[in-house]
Amino acid sequence: MEVLLGAWREALRADKAVVQLLRIRTVLDLEFYDHITAVLREIESASRLLRDLYDLFPIYRSRVPIIIYYLDIILPSLERTIKNMMAYIDNDAFPARTQWTLMVERLGDQGGMSLPTRFVMYVDLLVQLLSPLRPHDPGIVTYETFATEALARHPRYLDAASEEEDQSSKHSGIMERSLIPYVVLAPPAPAVPHHAPIQPTEADLEVQRRHWAEKIFDDQPHSTTGLRHRRESMCFGPPMVDVKLGIIHGSSVLFKLPFDKNRLSVTLYLQPDVPDMTRLLCRWLDPYMNPLTACYGVHELCVRRKGSSLQFRRWSVNKMHPKLWMALFFKTWEKMVLFHCAFGALKSRCPLTISVTPEDVCLPGEKRLFQGKIIDDGFEHILTVLQDQKCGGIRLHAAVRSGELRRCPVWTAFITHQSQSPQWLDRRSRHRVWLRDIYPYVFCQKYKKKHQMKRHGEFELYFVTEDAADAFQDMFQESSDAGGGEIVVVG
């Protein structure tokens, strides 16, 4: 669709404006730094949101028409604003200081609103457009939810947009329509009689529960450990046309992660026909900045860690052996761990998965400090304390002990500096240990971490054997064991 390609083109145009503004900020004095940064931040956000819209359209095709209706209103104004900016900041006839001051003078007070504030409005509108495409919001954009919450909330945006369109239409005839009629002339919503809501059943609540994968990247980890030797993430194709992507109507996004300022993105989504049928959609750029896409089921991929990257391989029919398909480089160890665990859990539960390799569920490059059996929310799990050999990060990792899902991740929790506190670990009984400030990331729909949480937020570990509880406690409380070797406890 032309409008979708228009969204992509505006993202590229915004990127070009960012490059010029970065150049100007580097040259000018510090007195201009904050003002330029404010504009830069919003333009980068607008570019990222436009790419998010483009990435999610193939999965939510049924919601595209109403999104396009409002996108067709926003894009012309955004395009004109960036073009007017580029006329000044990309003009070699002026020095950098003149480029910035002229642009601010001419564009900085249209409609009584500064240039950074205007881009705040654009970003706010794009966020409202993205809301029905988010995993946790299955609704559809309506006039009330979009116009009332976004446009009407910022009347100065309408004034600036209409003023800008009036000025540009005098010269070029472009964008002759105003945004205001869409607000004033919109038909009133039909009256809906009030009825008391029906009390939901347990089955209804289960359906409404968000999938665990939708919540994995909701909250930032309480600690971040940077990874070194990062490169640009890449997908090696081959690209697929829309028909070959295999996206079924009714699919729902679990999560989407951008890499390298959204130049590459990875989206994991569920198909509606069979439970736990998960596919991975990758979008990347060709040398001419055109978007390319490819999609595979998680059962068709294997993952391997190499340094700060996760490498995904697919089976090559022509060569009859696995072939590198995608390499994702992560900035932090925590995000790499969460992505690897999520992929391993989704692949283990996919009904089309034939075999799961050890590297799919156990992240290479980690040293095992402790292992023991625990009773966890009524299930018997294997608890392992792992330390990354590159960055030194430590985490707790619970996995399925036996059966078809053996070694499948259940939850993981990162150990922060707060573990040095004497109050962090509390031995409650021979088998029970309470930990403070532990935030498990769950990879299982049936697991309820609230059953392990205590009144004041402590997390309980119930070890099957007393020896395992002793070894776990000693490992964290005795400094002599901090750099010790592998400890394996069999309960």
Side-chain angles (χ1 to χ4, degrees):
M1 299 179 188
E2 185 61 28
V3 178
L4 307 188
L5 293 177
W8 186 265
R9 285 194 295 266
E10 288 312 309
L12 295 178
R13 201 189 316 273
D15 290 342
K16 293 178 182 178
V18 167
V19 172
Q20 296 300 329
L21 289 174
L22 285 172
R23 174 186 58 82
I24 293 174
R25 190 179 68 174
T26 303
V27 174
L28 297 186
D29 299 332
L30 289 177
E31 60 179 301
F32 298 96
Y33 188 90
D34 291 340
H35 195 189
I36 298 175
T37 301
V39 178
L40 264 172
R41 185 183 300 113
E42 300 304 326
I43 296 179
E44 288 180 333
S45 297
S47 174
R48 184 181 67 253
L49 291 168
L50 287 169
R51 286 195 169 95
D52 284 344
L53 281 170
Y54 184 91
D55 292 340
L56 294 175
F57 275 143
I59 300 174
Y60 295 111
R61 291 183 181 274
S62 61
R63 306 176 193 178
V64 167
I66 191 67
I67 300 294
I68 289 180
Y69 176 80
Y70 291 109
L71 195 60
D72 198 31
I73 300 173
I74 299 171
L75 283 184
S77 181
L78 177 61
E79 175 188 6
R80 177 56 57 182
T81 299
I82 298 179
K83 280 185 175 180
N84 288 342
M85 291 176 59
M86 294 296 288
Y88 297 101
I89 62 178
D90 195 25
N91 192 334
D92 295 334
F94 302 115
R97 186 186 185 95
T98 305
Q99 291 175 350
W100 173 253
T101 54
L102 275 178
M103 184 193 71
V104 172
E105 290 174 2
R106 304 289 174 82
L107 305 178
D109 197 28
Q110 292 182 349
M113 183 166 47
S114 67
L115 196 60
T117 306
R118 192 189 313 182
F119 275 99
V120 169
M121 303 301 107
Y122 288 134
V123 170
D124 191 18
L125 295 172
L126 292 173
V127 168
Q128 294 294 327
L129 276 182
L130 268 171
S131 61
L133 304 183
R134 298 295 189 188
H136 57 272
D137 188 356
I140 299 176
V141 169
T142 62
Y143 170 77
E144 290 75 12
T145 57
F146 179 78
T148 304
E149 295 179 10
L151 295 176
R153 181 148 45 93
H154 301 291
R156 289 191 303 171
Y157 170 79
L158 302 177
D159 297 337
S162 58
E163 176 184 332
E164 184 178 333
E165 292 178 10
D166 291 340
Q167 292 176 356
S168 61
S169 61
K170 293 178 182 178
H171 302 286
S172 61
I174 300 175
M175 298 183 299
E176 295 178 354
R177 60 183 179 175
S178 171
L179 293 180
I180 296 179
Y182 288 94
V183 177
V184 177
L185 302 179
V192 179
H194 175 73
H195 297 288
I198 301 175
Q199 187 70 21
T201 63
E202 187 67 26
D204 294 333
L205 293 175
E206 186 66 25
V207 172
Q208 294 174 7
R209 283 185 60 203
R210 294 176 62 194
H211 193 280
W212 60 263
E214 298 178 28
K215 300 178 282 187
I216 284 297
F217 296 102
D218 277 0
D219 301 322
Q220 293 294 328
H222 291 73
S223 64
T224 54
T225 309
L227 294 175
R228 302 174 60 186
H229 308 297
R230 290 186 295 107
R231 298 167 54 189
E232 185 175 335
S233 299
M234 298 182 66
C235 184
F236 302 95
M240 301 178 181
V241 296
D242 288 351
V243 178
K244 296 292 186 180
L245 293 177
I247 300 176
I248 300 176
H249 174 73
S251 298
S252 59
V253 173
L254 295 176
F255 63 81
K256 174 184 179 294
L257 283 186
F259 294 84
D260 305 319
K261 295 186 176 180
N262 220 352
R263 297 182 183 277
L264 181 146
S265 71
V266 174
T267 305
L268 275 85
Y269 67 94
L270 276 175
Q271 289 187 328
D273 45 0
V274 181
D276 298 322
M277 282 283 292
T278 311
R279 294 179 64 83
L280 192 153
L281 174 68
C282 179
R283 189 268 305 151
W284 72 101
L285 304 179
D286 68 7
Y288 303 99
M289 303 300 289
N290 296 312
L292 304 174
T293 53
C295 187
Y296 289 96
V298 292
H299 63 283
E300 301 176 276
L301 301 172
C302 294
V303 64
R304 175 188 302 174
R305 178 185 179 181
K306 187 174 182 180
S308 59
S309 71
L310 294 179
Q311 297 185 352
F312 292 83
R313 284 173 163 74
R314 61 177 181 85
W315 184 259
S316 174
V317 178
N318 296 331
K319 297 185 177 181
M320 297 303 293
H321 65 76
K323 184 178 181 181
L324 182 61
W325 176 56
M326 180 177 66
L328 302 178
F329 284 83
F330 292 84
K331 293 182 179 180
T332 64
W333 167 70
E334 288 82 2
K335 184 163 284 189
M336 180 174 66
V337 167
L338 294 178
F339 193 98
H340 182 273
C341 290
F343 175 83
L346 292 170
K347 180 175 180 179
S348 298
R349 290 178 169 85
C350 180
L352 296 182
T353 298
I354 298 176
S355 63
V356 178
T357 66
E359 291 183 329
D360 287 335
V361 290
C362 300
L363 185 65
E366 291 183 320
K367 180 181 180 181
R368 185 172 56 180
L369 304 180
F370 166 86
Q371 189 173 84
K373 288 187 287 188
I374 59 173
I375 303 299
D376 197 15
D377 189 25
F379 303 96
E380 190 173 274
H381 293 152
I382 293 294
L383 177 69
T384 310
V385 180
L386 299 166
Q387 182 174 32
D388 191 83
Q389 294 177 334
K390 294 289 185 181
C391 66
I394 300 177
R395 67 185 179 101
L396 306 180
H397 181 83
V400 178
R401 178 175 176 268
S402 60
E404 294 182 357
L405 297 177
R406 181 174 175 268
R407 295 185 299 188
C408 176
V410 177
W411 59 263
T412 193
F414 302 105
I415 305 299
T416 65
H417 65 280
Q418 294 174 343
S419 63
Q420 303 298 323
S421 170
Q423 287 79 34
W424 180 74
L425 188 150
D426 183 12
R427 182 70 177 269
R428 303 293 294 186
S429 68
R430 293 190 306 163
H431 296 268
R432 291 185 300 144
V433 173
W434 287 10
L435 302 178
R436 298 179 184 271
D437 301 309
I438 284 291
Y439 305 95
Y441 292 83
V442 178
F443 310 101
C444 177
Q445 199 71 5
K446 295 182 179 180
Y447 181 81
K448 306 292 189 302
K449 67 178 179 181
K450 64 181 181 181
H451 294 162
Q452 299 300 119
M453 304 297 294
K454 299 305 173 184
R455 178 178 300 178
H456 300 292
E458 301 92 346
F459 188 80
E460 180 177 278
L461 298 175
Y462 187 93
F463 292 90
V464 173
T465 65
E466 184 178 355
D467 290 341
D470 292 339
F472 182 86
Q473 181 179 10
D474 293 343
M475 182 186 60
F476 284 104
Q477 291 190 340
E478 295 182 10
S479 58
S480 60
D481 289 340
E486 175 182 330
I487 303 175
V488 180
V489 178
V490 180

